[in-house]
Amino acid sequence: MESQNRQRLQSMTSLRIAIAGAGVAGLCLAVTLLRRGQRVTLYDPASAEETASWAAAGMLAPTYEAATDSPGHPDMYALLEAARDFWDEGPQSLGIERQQIGLMLSSSVALAVSAGQASMFRRLAKHGRARALDVGDLASLGNVNPDGFVAAFWLPRDGQVDNRAFVRRLTQKVLSLGGERQSLAVEPAKVAPGDLSADCIVDARGWRAPAMTPVKGTAMALARHPGLPGHVVRWGRNYLVPKADRVVLGAHAMPGLTDTSVDPAIIDELCEEAALIFPAVKDADVLETWSGVRPRSADGAPVLGWTGPGHYQLGGLYRDGFLLAPRLADWAASDILGDVLPDLARRFTPDRFKVRA
């Protein structure tokens, strides 16, 4: 099937590509394809503010994921590192300047909440991916209570991007390059490419795509405050992420839920847990609360590849959407246009789940 799609599309000089889903994955793919001379239409009934990408925190964190998660896919860490290398080159390949999107690399601190987690970070430090901080260094984070964790580590490979600024810039770039965005719900498995006057349909609908489990997350934005950190700080599954105009606090996760209502009890829980380490959380004004729904595949890794004639899937980015999206979009665009994928990319095809449009 893959070779048949490649041969068919290679014979065309300019493709018409329909992308279902205008989150960060669909947007990055749309911009990449448009910059390669293709014709692209994005389909999504939700506004940018209603997507999971808008509800995210924009972290670029391969090291933290390596220290705190047990991947179901053996090549997940290699993929995270390859995606991080892409960010080292900057977002210029998408026609976006880093200062426009609040890109901050080497700006993350991890608080180990157990001796085992501290040992993991120390092992990573031997490979140059982390270094321990002393109490003096921690003073630069703000008013921090060192009793709430075992040890602290600077993560030179981890950083962040302002997720909302990035989504806005990508949307503007799609339109400026001649792409279209239509507020229409498209379920790729139920339509043929020709039904949309397209040569190929890409399913980038997040949790609504095949083989995905929805995971609801709840977070909030605090007003900037002198006692809050000036760097990304993560502990357990929680984080404080400073942006230019807010500090994002999150995140609570509930697998299987798709509604975006906000439970006040969860907000109180997030604040209480964060205040144990950063007491200033209690004094900061709450600007906004929200919930979003992330897509998780069975093994927690993304999906990249053909699912049928003229049907392609890009998704399952889960907690690492902003880290992974530019690199995966580059690979997906090459795949759709008939180029041979690198070996690492080929390990994440939907064939491992027997997904078919």
Side-chain angles (χ1 to χ4, degrees):
M1 177 181 62
E2 180 180 335
S3 60
Q4 292 173 346
N5 275 301
R6 180 174 291 114
Q7 292 171 0
R8 181 176 66 86
L9 297 178
Q10 277 181 327
S11 65
M12 304 177 185
T13 56
S14 179
L15 302 179
R16 300 164 301 172
I17 299 169
I19 301 175
V24 66
L27 287 168
C28 282
L29 178 58
V31 172
T32 303
L33 287 166
L34 287 164
R35 286 171 65 85
R36 297 187 187 184
Q38 310 308 309
R39 292 169 286 172
V40 178
T41 301
L42 280 163
Y43 294 91
D44 199 323
S47 66
E49 292 79 6
E50 296 172 312
T51 63
S53 299
W54 193 265
M59 286 178 290
L60 315 174
T63 305
Y64 194 82
E65 293 291 333
T68 60
D69 198 17
S70 298
H73 193 294
D75 299 302
M76 188 62 189
Y77 295 152
L79 177 63
L80 293 174
E81 283 296 324
R84 177 59 176 77
D85 291 341
F86 193 96
W87 278 102
D88 275 334
E89 304 163 9
Q92 288 87 347
S93 63
L94 296 169
I96 296 173
E97 298 298 326
R98 61 176 58 204
Q99 66 270 17
Q100 297 174 327
I101 56 174
L103 178 60
M104 298 173 61
L105 303 176
S106 303
S107 63
S108 187
V109 172
L111 305 179
V113 296
S114 69
Q117 200 175 91
S119 296
M120 175 63 78
F121 279 117
R122 291 191 178 98
R123 286 196 293 273
L124 291 171
K126 294 181 180 180
H127 301 283
R129 295 173 60 184
R131 69 174 178 82
L133 292 171
D134 60 28
V135 175
D137 291 326
L138 285 175
S140 66
L141 298 180
N143 181 20
V144 59
N145 173 18
D147 296 332
F149 51 93
V150 175
F153 297 85
W154 183 267
L155 308 182
R157 289 284 289 167
D158 291 14
Q160 66 150 316
V161 63
D162 188 322
N163 57 301
R164 296 181 177 182
F166 193 39
V167 167
R168 283 194 295 264
R169 287 290 177 180
L170 287 169
T171 302
Q172 293 167 0
K173 184 61 65 174
V174 167
L175 300 178
S176 69
L177 291 171
E180 298 182 36
R181 190 188 192 284
Q182 295 191 20
S183 299
L184 178 66
V186 170
E187 190 170 348
K190 294 184 177 180
V191 297
D195 297 334
L196 297 175
S197 299
D199 301 303
C200 172
I201 301 177
V202 180
D203 195 335
R205 295 176 300 145
W207 66 268
R208 293 179 174 84
M212 294 296 144
T213 296
V215 181
K216 177 182 177 178
T218 297
M220 59 194 299
L222 304 174
R224 294 183 66 91
H225 188 281
L228 296 180
H231 304 285
V232 175
V233 180
R234 303 189 67 177
W235 67 100
R237 286 298 175 197
N238 295 341
Y239 52 74
L240 278 165
V241 186
K243 309 291 184 183
D245 58 351
R246 65 196 188 280
V247 178
V248 179
L249 168 60
H252 191 275
M254 294 168 284
L257 299 184
T258 60
D259 71 284
T260 54
S261 62
V262 177
D263 184 344
I266 291 176
I267 295 298
D268 291 342
E269 179 184 327
L270 286 172
C271 289
E272 290 172 5
E273 291 180 357
L276 294 176
I277 297 175
F278 288 93
V281 166
K282 295 180 179 179
D283 302 320
D285 293 332
V286 177
L287 302 178
E288 183 185 357
T289 62
W290 65 84
S291 292
V293 184
R294 293 166 167 162
R296 188 188 190 281
S297 69
D299 59 10
V303 174
L304 175 85
W306 296 100
T307 59
H311 286 79
Y312 199 89
Q313 186 172 348
L314 171 61
L317 278 60
Y318 193 33
R319 290 192 306 267
D320 302 297
F322 284 82
L323 173 63
L324 293 171
R327 173 64 79 186
L328 294 183
D330 181 66
W331 284 343
S334 296
D335 199 15
I336 291 169
L337 298 180
D339 297 332
V340 177
L341 285 177
D343 181 62
L344 178 60
R346 294 173 62 85
R347 300 174 197 172
F348 294 88
T349 65
D351 287 343
R352 70 188 195 273
F353 303 128
K354 304 301 181 184
V355 173
R356 290 290 181 270

